[in-house]
Amino acid sequence: MDQPPDRSKRPWKFSTFVYSSSILFILLSIFLLGFTNTDLYKVQSLRFTFTANRIYSYLQFLLGFHDKNPKSTSETLDPASSTSHCVLWMAPFLSSGGYSSEAWSYILSLHNHLTNPKFRITIEHHGDLESVEFWNGLAKETKELAIEMYRTQCRPNETIVVCHSEPGAWYPPLFETLPCPPTGYEDFLSVIGRTMFETDRVNPEHVKRCNQMDHVWVPTEFHVSSFVQSGVDSSKVVKIVQPVDVGFFDPSKYEPLDLMAVGDLVLGSGMKNSGLGFVFLSVFKWEQRKGWDVLLKAYLREFSGKDNVALFLLTNAYHSDSDFGNKILDFVEELNIEDPQNGYPFVYVIDKHIAQVDLPRLYKAADAFVLPTRGEGWGRPIVEAMAMSLPVIATNWSGPTEYLTERNGYPLVVEEMSEVKEGPFEGHQWAEPSVDKLRVLMRHVMSNPDEAKVKGKRGRDDMVQKFAPEVVAKVVADQIERIFDEKIRT
């Protein structure tokens, strides 16, 4: 059998050196110029905290500046651990967004629900810009865990790396980010790519990057099919569903958030002092994929001011400005809807940052959740709403097909497939949900609250039984332990 390469003599990767040097240079400049109160300083300090030491430790190992005694090194790295096996989980831990929330859900699940784990976990920020606002919104316990896990030191040749991001961030990255894996594919025991797409296919560059991985984890059967059909090696693709924190998103624990205090009225009038009627909630980034245009068309055509109803949109900018109120008014004007005799139904926009700890209260304040999306990797707000026992209306395509059924919610019919016209997935196909069917479903849910509540309860039951952290933690741990066992045997 060929001898494995001596990793202690492997030259370091130039891209890693450049990345770490740029961080140190920026920090030095900030300190010398005294910009200690700026957002730039805060972001760069956060980045430095979660990057510089990691790169330094890996370079030490790769250049040979490490203890040659494996037992001694293991004890130095973590005296409390009974194993030297380690998982380096790289994801946008310091950013908001789907990959960040999903990565945190895995980390918290593994940390809280594994007894006598056979591997240690260390984390690294990667794949997106750091957000001080997001970090500040995390629970104190989560921040403490992040720092504790970040300080866990591992030897690369005993480490499985999980690259939890879009493939453009994988080694070598197509944009500025810490590469994953940090020093290339050869230096680690095994490398897993965790990713997903919202369209019907994976583009050729990303197929190539997926096939560089030892394993590719995707969240649904929809993705298993689309990845393999696109050319990803079927032997590498494994379905690993996303955990839902049903303990955190538990309707019995919270009082409703005051929606009036956080929402800005865009359409309708007269409700400010009269209380809310039936409340529809939607949570999304402001982009075409999320189907906000489908939602507004259906809602404004189905309801009027005489209906005791309100639609709250929690949204944030995505490659656009944040003037959402005027965007909605412009869209309504383009629709050429005749002014309703009784006025428009109420539409509120929430564009303020809602801290993670307050999200359950947001869902608790609604009567139903609706998202006529054109495509989802998973659909985090959908499963959060289901965990909060809300009746859910969502498009019956892509990610939600893994968990949304006629029994536990209201799957929205797809009218046709359409071509993505712009952006990185131009030429791909995604769903066009039916505006007319959405009108029917929204009216039905509002008019049949008892039935809707039953479905909402079933939705939570399914989240608890199939996607609870302890359930998914075992699935993930089994996969990781199997990889370690296979590597040890070979």
Side-chain angles (χ1 to χ4, degrees):
M1 180 182 293
D2 293 338
Q3 292 297 315
D6 185 354
R7 290 180 171 84
S8 67
K9 297 179 181 179
R10 188 181 303 282
W12 20 325
K13 304 294 190 294
F14 182 69
S15 61
T16 306
F17 170 74
V18 171
Y19 187 86
S20 57
S21 298
S22 66
I23 294 170
L24 294 173
F25 177 78
I26 292 170
L27 276 173
L28 181 61
S29 301
I30 291 169
F31 281 118
L32 290 177
L33 295 175
F35 297 153
T36 54
N37 293 321
T38 64
D39 287 341
L40 175 62
Y41 165 76
K42 293 175 183 177
V43 169
Q44 294 299 343
S45 295
L46 201 57
R47 177 183 292 185
F48 180 75
T49 300
F50 281 83
T51 302
N53 290 336
R54 172 83 66 226
I55 294 175
Y56 177 72
S57 66
Y58 284 148
L59 291 179
Q60 273 193 313
F61 182 87
L62 296 175
L63 291 170
F65 302 122
H66 63 286
D67 194 330
K68 300 298 192 295
N69 184 327
K71 179 178 179 181
S72 171
T73 305
S74 263
E75 292 172 351
T76 302
L77 295 179
D78 189 347
S81 174
S82 60
T83 178
S84 61
H85 290 165
C86 196
V87 174
L88 167 60
W89 207 295
M90 299 184 66
F93 288 109
L94 306 179
S95 307
S96 59
Y99 279 118
S100 173
S101 64
E102 188 187 54
W104 275 118
S105 70
Y106 282 120
I107 292 300
L108 294 172
S109 298
L110 291 167
H111 175 74
N112 294 330
H113 298 287
L114 282 190
T115 55
N116 301 318
K118 298 180 181 178
F119 54 87
R120 295 171 295 126
I121 301 173
T122 184
I123 66 172
E124 181 68 71
H125 178 81
H126 142 91
D128 203 352
L129 297 176
E130 300 84 353
S131 168
V132 174
E133 186 177 49
F134 174 77
W135 173 256
N136 289 339
L138 290 176
K140 179 175 179 288
E141 297 78 13
T142 303
K143 293 179 185 176
E144 291 172 349
L145 176 63
I147 293 170
E148 175 190 334
M149 284 190 164
Y150 175 77
R151 289 174 177 167
T152 300
Q153 297 295 306
C154 303
R155 292 193 302 269
N157 64 340
E158 292 185 340
T159 298
I160 293 173
V161 181
V162 178
C163 298
H164 195 148
S165 56
E166 61 105 346
W170 299 348
Y171 188 95
L174 301 178
F175 53 88
E176 184 183 350
T177 187
L178 180 66
C180 186
T183 56
Y185 297 90
E186 307 91 349
D187 300 315
F188 296 89
L189 193 64
S190 186
V191 184
I192 299 166
R194 167 63 175 195
T195 194
M196 64 199 77
F197 286 93
E198 300 90 358
T199 64
D200 66 333
R201 70 195 74 173
V202 182
N203 68 41
E205 171 62 26
H206 288 167
V207 168
K208 178 182 176 182
R209 286 168 172 263
C210 286
N211 283 329
Q212 284 185 298
M213 294 288 174
D214 298 306
H215 308 275
V216 179
W217 290 357
V218 296
T220 71
E221 288 295 341
F222 169 86
H223 293 96
V224 171
S225 175
S226 63
F227 272 55
V228 172
Q229 289 177 9
S230 297
V232 179
D233 185 343
S234 61
S235 67
K236 296 175 183 280
V237 182
V238 181
K239 184 182 82 171
I240 305 288
V241 298
Q242 182 181 139
V244 183
D245 192 344
V246 294
F248 178 67
F249 290 102
D250 180 349
S252 68
K253 295 181 178 180
Y254 302 95
E255 292 298 320
L257 187 69
D258 183 355
L259 294 179
M260 294 292 217
V262 296
D264 296 320
L265 183 63
V266 177
L267 286 174
S269 61
M271 190 178 284
K272 272 291 183 182
N273 299 314
S274 60
L276 294 174
F278 191 93
V279 173
F280 288 102
L281 172 69
S282 194
V283 179
F284 57 88
K285 293 182 294 185
W286 192 270
E287 59 172 322
Q288 185 190 18
R289 177 173 65 84
K290 295 296 185 176
W292 61 265
D293 54 329
V294 177
L295 175 56
L296 287 174
K297 282 179 187 177
Y299 178 72
L300 295 175
R301 288 174 179 171
E302 182 60 31
F303 300 102
S304 70
K306 71 177 182 180
D307 293 298
N308 193 18
V309 63
L311 172 63
F312 279 80
L313 309 175
L314 173 63
T315 189
N316 59 283
Y318 183 72
H319 302 303
S320 69
D321 61 69
S322 56
D323 190 8
F324 305 119
N326 282 328
K327 289 177 185 294
I328 291 171
L329 293 176
D330 291 342
F331 179 75
V332 172
E333 186 175 339
E334 292 170 5
L335 283 180
N336 292 321
I337 298 177
E338 291 186 16
D339 289 348
Q341 184 176 358
N342 298 293
Y344 288 110
F346 294 99
V347 177
Y348 289 81
V349 169
I350 306 171
D351 59 3
K352 305 171 183 66
H353 177 70
I354 303 296
Q356 178 72 14
V357 294
D358 290 325
L359 283 178
R361 297 180 59 218
L362 174 74
Y363 292 112
K364 179 78 172 184
D367 297 295
F369 182 88
V370 55
L371 188 66
T373 177
R374 291 181 168 90
E376 293 292 320
W378 176 251
R380 172 178 54 90
I382 303 173
V383 295
E384 290 174 352
M386 293 177 74
M388 289 294 293
S389 296
L390 281 180
V392 164
I393 303 171
T395 309
N396 191 31
W397 192 76
S398 65
T401 58
E402 189 69 25
Y403 49 79
L404 185 65
T405 68
E406 294 282 356
R407 181 180 177 278
N408 66 19
Y410 297 90
L412 174 59
V413 171
V414 174
E415 197 164 74
E416 61 181 350
M417 301 299 292
S418 66
E419 183 176 316
V420 182
K421 298 298 184 184
E422 58 184 7
F425 306 124
E426 183 177 355
H428 293 202
Q429 298 275 313
W430 58 20
E432 285 297 331
S434 170
V435 172
D436 290 339
K437 295 295 185 182
L438 180 56
R439 291 178 62 177
V440 171
L441 286 177
M442 293 181 78
R443 176 66 71 177
H444 180 83
V445 169
M446 180 182 171
S447 302
N448 297 273
D450 291 339
E451 176 199 282
K453 287 177 182 177
V454 169
K455 289 202 176 191
K457 175 66 167 57
R458 289 173 182 165
R460 174 166 174 80
D461 290 345
D462 285 347
M463 293 298 109
V464 171
Q465 294 169 16
K466 300 176 183 178
F467 306 106
E470 58 270 26
V471 175
V472 180
K474 184 178 186 309
V475 174
V476 174
D478 287 348
Q479 285 288 327
I480 290 172
E481 290 168 9
R482 181 182 59 79
I483 295 171
F484 276 122
D485 289 344
E486 289 176 354
K487 292 296 181 179
I488 290 171
R489 286 199 299 270
T490 58

